[in-house]
Amino acid sequence: MSTTTAGTLSPHLKDLENESIHILREVAGQFDKVALLFSGGKDSVVVYELARRAFAPAPVPFELLHVDTGHNFPEVIDFRDRLVKRTGARLRVAKVQDWIDRGELQERPDGTRNPLQTVPLVETIEEQGYDAVLGGARRDEERARAKERIFSVRDAFGGWDPRRQRPELWNLYNGGHLPGENIRVFPISNWTEADIWEYIGARAIELPPIYFSHEREVFNRDGMWLTAGEWGGPSKGEPIETRRVRYRTVGDMSCTGAVLSEASTVQDIITEISTSTLTERGATRADDRLSESAMEDRKKEGYF
Amino acid sequence: MTLLTQPTDSEPAPGAAASAQLATRQTLRLCTAGSVDDGKSTFVGRLLHDTKSVLADQLSAVERTSRERGHDGLDLSLLVDGLRAEREQGITIDVAYRYFSTAERTFILADTPGHVQYTRNTVTGVSTSQVVVLLVDARHGVVTQTRRHLTVAALLGVRQVVLAVNKIDLVDYSQDTFEQIREEFTALAQEKGVAEVTVIPISALRGDNVVEPSTNTPWYTGPTVLGYLETVEVTEATSELGLRLPIQYVIRPQGTDYRGYAGRIAAGHLAVGDIVHLGQGRTSTVTHIDTADGEAATATTGDSIVVRLADDIDLSRGDLIAGADRPEGSRDLTATLVGLADTPLRPGAKVKLRYGTSLVRARLTSIDSLLDIDTNHEHPGEAIELNDIATVTLQLAEDLPTEPYSGRGLVGSLLLINQADGTTLAAGLVR
Ligand SMILES: Nc1nc2c(ncn2[C@@H]2O[C@H](COP(=O)(O)OP(=O)(O)OP(=O)(O)O)[C@@H](O)[C@H]2O)c(=O)[nH]1
Ligand SMILES: [Mg+2]
């Protein structure tokens, strides 16, 4: 009756893996040209790993797309490039800097480039003619994301209209759309941060080293530990200190905070997040602190 | 009123569960339902809060907004109503998915809207749920929207429903009121064919019987809602079906002989060596089952797998790999539809129909009857409007091996899709 599995995944994780692989195969079956948004962060790495398992022994039938803010952790770029080399994945990089250089985007006063990703993303989707774009967003990250469908229809401007979301029943995913529209697909919608880490542990998935405890020169801004860098920090009155930290999320360096941590293994991290009193975005994302609806507003404009 | 406190060091860690239990922990998927303002989102907020699943930054955001809105306590519905329009209007518009664990189980919870205009979102939440928590306002008891949601739950094959008689604080914790609602609802559930009903008096606002047993209802000796959810054994309608594996995608790496059919098993199970039926009298033998863990000897319902066969047969996405009880292909279909679109569906309408992994052209031949939610009677109708439940006949452009709905929608479920813009018009259950 039961499968002869390696026995490393709990029934809960196995259920999530089965669901995600089903979604990824639906995407391959329903769409012509698909991009998988790949930042080198843990969620996109897990989506890529699921895709690898979904289509083995054939290569992943999606192109990787990295919207590069230019404010990168070098460790993450290095990890990304090594993964591409190892797996033979196709990688396309859309650089926010190019849009700034052409005068089509303007640097923000706070130096953060996270919100600037939307235009390059939407324009690259249009230019490349992607009809579906896979993302690693999870519903447990944020209240507006908790409202997102697995197949999310976006208008020609990439915009999300929460009032017009399609009903999504059973496991029948409807990828139908008008020319010019595209579908954003979130295969790990139902995973939590803890699920991601348990899976990374069980499947021995490699991650950029900044997810684990390391020494770093940081400074404190509004209670968040940021890395010193060209993008603008620290300013006067913000002393640089050396601390043992790790990152819970990876994004634009200017708005992604580190947490003080001694967790150096996946198991340590699972223990650490189970006792944390802050959500991962609350602890580490300045952009979500701007307002109660920051994420919803960004999504309406075409953000993930 | 129960004191709302942040987790402290002496309390169990938020959302944490003994790691020994992690390895075997099962998932329960559930949703809320009920009429507008019956307290569904407050209930979900209460459940999250009292299971210590709310972290300090989320809680302080809710505290801040509650204060700004002039509430005297915490408005726990703000934990789930994630859209600006929802918070401004104090109603839920679309489904919110929340995740939490206790030592016993992991829960995937969909909070659905009660407003009749958003019933399609409720249907979305119910379709993936094993258990439905239906709320009523103790002051109003069973109303039309309660009946509609119970009908949807029964139709979609949910066998376990909790009726939470909420706002029991507003009727002075009256046992009489509770009993009256309980009787009416139990009779209704029986009529709709729901196998198991549990009725619990709660106050989502004050916390009675949600996670903590209440001293305000000494006359109630049953479980709290969480107690029920942690222990309920989910019974599926027993399915005698053999293998059903709709092919999602054919895996053929260039330059090799490998040819595998990828899909998720919708019913039955499968072993290497099994003979499978492929339609038009064709059969073959399973030579390999490939999984995310490598090769396996067997696989069962719910598994995402790749199957390799002994013979070279022309199969592609939309085809079905089945056991000996493979359904005959047919172009005629009787189905129960739930209207999901603002534009009515009329006989003659040309649509696309998704069934499993197939997508075919179809025509709505006739509307045989419409269901009156309040009386449970069927009557003739000209058009299927949003939220209508109708029995219809459909004609397909190609043969499909369809069969009656079972397994909570893994088999026998369909969508009708607008040919022009791709929107979902109706959900259907094959009769
Ligand atoms: N007194 C009392 N009020 C409650 C209780 N539960 C909810 N309420 C109040 O009822 C109102 C509606 O609550 P919600 O949780 O938003 O209702 P809902 O069912 O989610 O509403 P929709 O999602 O819009 O259908 C709010 O003002 C709540 O504070 C309760 O147990 N007792
Ligand atoms: Mg609500």
Side-chain angles (χ1 to χ4, degrees):
Chain A
M1 268 292 289
S2 68
T3 47
T4 53
T5 57
T8 45
L9 298 189
S10 66
H12 173 65
L13 273 189
K14 191 72 209 157
D15 188 41
L16 291 175
E17 183 188 63
N18 280 321
E19 177 178 81
S20 299
I21 289 179
H22 174 253
I23 294 163
L24 288 162
R25 289 174 175 163
E26 278 305 287
V27 171
Q30 292 192 34
F31 299 95
D32 295 326
K33 191 165 182 199
V34 181
L36 189 162
L37 277 196
F38 189 82
S39 63
K42 66 181 188 311
D43 299 319
S44 65
V45 171
V46 166
V47 173
Y48 180 74
E49 176 64 20
L50 287 162
R52 218 181 48 71
R53 289 175 188 264
F55 300 103
V60 172
F62 316 130
E63 193 165 274
L64 305 188
L65 173 61
H66 182 202
V67 182
D68 178 353
T69 64
H71 295 159
N72 297 305
F73 295 93
E75 298 92 330
V76 177
I77 296 300
D78 175 60
F79 170 85
R80 179 196 77 185
D81 293 342
R82 276 189 296 117
L83 180 135
V84 165
K85 210 165 156 198
R86 192 178 69 233
T87 60
R90 288 165 295 154
L91 171 73
R92 181 178 304 278
V93 182
K95 292 194 157 129
V96 170
Q97 188 64 49
D98 292 345
W99 270 259
I100 293 174
D101 291 346
R102 290 199 298 267
E104 293 167 20
L105 278 178
Q106 262 195 337
E107 204 83 72
R108 293 159 47 100
D110 61 4
T112 295
R113 286 187 177 175
N114 231 26
L116 301 188
Q117 291 180 76
T118 302
V119 170
L121 171 64
V122 171
E123 292 187 6
T124 306
I125 291 172
E126 194 177 325
E127 171 203 294
Q128 291 299 316
Y130 296 124
D131 50 359
V133 182
L134 288 157
R138 309 189 325 266
R139 287 166 173 163
D140 92 315
E141 281 178 74
E142 206 277 337
R143 278 188 301 186
R145 288 209 158 145
K147 297 266 161 187
E148 181 69 274
R149 295 284 189 267
I150 290 173
F151 272 43
S152 176
V153 187
R154 300 304 177 94
D155 62 26
F157 306 98
W160 180 61
D161 181 353
R163 282 178 182 274
R164 297 211 54 83
Q165 295 205 79
R166 275 184 195 162
E168 192 165 78
L169 285 93
W170 304 296
N171 60 2
L172 297 180
Y173 301 105
N174 175 11
H177 59 94
L178 288 169
E181 288 180 340
N182 62 83
I183 309 277
R184 305 279 176 94
V185 181
F186 304 103
I188 55 168
S189 285
N190 285 327
W191 297 51
T192 63
E193 186 187 15
D195 295 329
I196 291 286
W197 280 107
E198 278 168 34
Y199 192 74
I200 286 166
R203 291 278 185 232
I205 298 170
E206 193 193 338
L207 287 183
I210 65 168
Y211 279 108
F212 301 92
S213 179
H214 59 286
E215 268 189 1
R216 180 175 285 266
E217 293 200 330
V218 289
F219 66 95
N220 198 298
R221 178 177 289 171
D222 303 327
M224 196 135 49
W225 294 100
L226 299 175
T227 301
E230 286 166 21
W231 52 269
S235 53
K236 280 190 214 100
E238 292 174 326
I240 295 183
E241 301 169 45
T242 301
R243 294 286 194 134
R244 284 201 73 79
V245 298
R246 70 173 202 89
Y247 284 85
R248 274 175 85 177
T249 66
V250 166
D252 182 298
M253 240 179 158
S254 64
C255 66
T256 306
V259 291
L260 301 179
S261 170
E262 295 291 336
S264 53
T265 66
V266 172
Q267 198 49 52
D268 292 346
I269 290 173
I270 292 172
T271 308
E272 182 188 277
I273 57 180
S274 73
T275 54
S276 168
T277 58
L278 294 179
T279 60
E280 76 184 307
R281 292 194 89 84
T284 65
R285 289 300 178 94
D287 46 342
D288 284 342
R289 292 183 172 181
L290 295 176
S291 91
E292 226 187 2
S293 305
M295 174 66 83
E296 179 179 346
D297 294 342
R298 286 208 304 276
K299 282 168 70 70
K300 283 178 174 162
E301 285 165 11
Y303 188 78
F304 249 85
Chain B
M1 174 157 172
T2 316
L3 262 183
L4 298 170
T5 52
Q6 297 193 3
T8 64
D9 287 342
S10 59
E11 287 170 330
S19 63
Q21 272 162 320
L22 269 182
T24 54
R25 206 166 50 187
Q26 303 273 351
T27 322
L28 186 77
R29 296 186 186 230
L30 71 147
C31 73
T32 59
S35 189
V36 67
D37 276 351
D38 282 351
K40 297 176 292 298
S41 302
T42 308
F43 162 77
V44 172
R46 167 61 63 186
L47 197 56
L48 295 171
H49 181 272
D50 288 6
T51 53
K52 313 282 185 289
S53 313
V54 183
L55 301 185
D57 53 330
Q58 295 171 311
L59 200 60
S60 55
V62 167
E63 276 165 359
R64 204 178 328 115
T65 314
S66 298
R67 247 193 332 270
E68 284 163 13
R69 302 259 153 94
H71 298 290
D72 45 0
L74 272 191
D75 181 353
L76 290 172
S77 71
L78 294 170
L79 282 169
V80 263
D81 287 337
L83 303 173
R84 185 197 321 238
E86 294 180 325
R87 289 192 295 274
E88 282 170 5
Q89 297 170 41
I91 61 162
T92 306
I93 292 170
D94 208 342
V95 191
Y97 294 87
R98 299 305 304 248
Y99 306 82
F100 69 104
S101 319
T102 66
E104 311 302 322
R105 274 185 177 162
T106 292
F107 299 93
I108 299 183
L109 197 171
D111 180 39
T112 73
H115 196 289
V116 71
Q117 188 187 341
Y118 307 122
T119 304
R120 61 180 145 202
N121 298 336
T122 303
V123 178
T124 294
V126 174
S127 77
T128 50
S129 294
Q130 298 163 293
V131 172
V132 171
V133 179
L134 191 53
L135 281 86
V136 292
D137 184 325
R139 295 169 301 175
H140 311 311
V142 173
V143 297
T144 298
Q145 198 65 344
T146 323
R147 287 177 211 277
R148 178 173 279 121
H149 290 169
L150 183 66
T151 307
V152 166
L155 192 67
L156 267 45
V158 175
R159 295 166 59 81
Q160 278 134 327
V161 172
V162 179
L163 182 76
V165 179
N166 190 32
K167 310 197 187 182
I168 197 80
D169 54 304
L170 295 182
V171 295
D172 294 328
Y173 298 95
S174 155
Q175 182 177 10
D176 285 350
T177 308
F178 174 76
E179 288 299 335
Q180 271 168 30
I181 296 172
R182 192 172 68 85
E183 271 164 40
E184 182 182 357
F185 185 80
T186 309
L188 189 66
Q190 220 158 32
E191 192 182 308
K192 303 274 183 198
V194 174
E196 192 188 309
V197 171
T198 306
V199 189
I200 306 176
I202 69 162
S203 170
L205 189 68
R206 293 172 186 272
D208 303 282
N209 296 326
V210 177
V211 170
E212 303 296 334
S214 171
T215 50
N216 295 318
T217 52
W219 41 266
Y220 174 76
T221 54
T224 63
V225 181
L226 181 69
Y228 172 84
L229 296 174
E230 282 187 316
T231 53
V232 59
E233 288 223 22
V234 178
T235 62
E236 304 286 351
T238 47
S239 169
E240 310 280 277
L241 292 183
L243 177 73
R244 300 289 183 271
L245 178 66
I247 298 175
Q248 290 184 275
Y249 191 74
V250 183
I251 296 179
R252 291 175 60 186
Q254 267 179 355
T256 71
D257 291 337
Y258 187 100
R259 188 187 180 91
Y261 304 100
R264 192 170 188 193
I265 302 180
H269 43 93
L270 159 93
V272 171
D274 280 0
I275 295 186
V276 287
H277 296 252
L278 308 167
Q280 293 151 3
R282 299 170 302 175
T283 59
S284 188
T285 307
V286 175
T287 58
H288 299 82
I289 300 171
D290 298 314
T291 75
D293 287 301
E295 280 200 38
T298 61
T300 192
T301 306
D303 289 347
S304 280
I305 58 164
V306 181
V307 170
R308 284 184 271 165
L309 302 176
D311 307 279
D312 225 349
I313 294 176
D314 175 28
L315 292 173
S316 56
R317 177 175 167 84
D319 287 333
L320 177 72
I321 298 177
D325 61 344
R326 181 189 171 93
E328 296 282 326
S330 159
R331 291 190 183 204
D332 296 303
L333 205 59
T334 308
T336 303
L337 292 188
V338 182
L340 300 175
D342 298 320
T343 44
L345 261 175
R346 296 179 200 283
K350 292 206 174 93
V351 294
K352 279 192 207 160
L353 182 145
R354 175 171 292 290
Y355 181 86
T357 55
S358 341
L359 189 63
V360 301
R361 283 177 299 119
R363 205 170 67 94
L364 182 63
T365 325
S366 63
I367 299 174
D368 305 326
S369 66
L370 285 176
L371 181 72
D372 183 318
I373 306 282
D374 282 316
T375 62
N376 220 21
H377 287 318
E378 303 203 326
H379 58 87
E382 306 281 283
I384 303 168
E385 313 266 355
L386 179 65
N387 300 335
D388 278 353
I389 298 175
T391 306
V392 305
T393 310
L394 291 156
Q395 191 187 27
L396 314 181
E398 294 165 39
D399 277 351
L400 276 190
T402 55
E403 61 192 314
Y405 182 94
S406 70
R408 284 187 304 104
L410 289 178
V411 169
S413 58
L414 61 89
L415 299 179
L416 297 190
I417 296 167
N418 185 324
Q419 298 198 88
D421 64 8
T423 54
T424 305
L425 300 171
L429 299 83
V430 179
R431 288 293 145 208

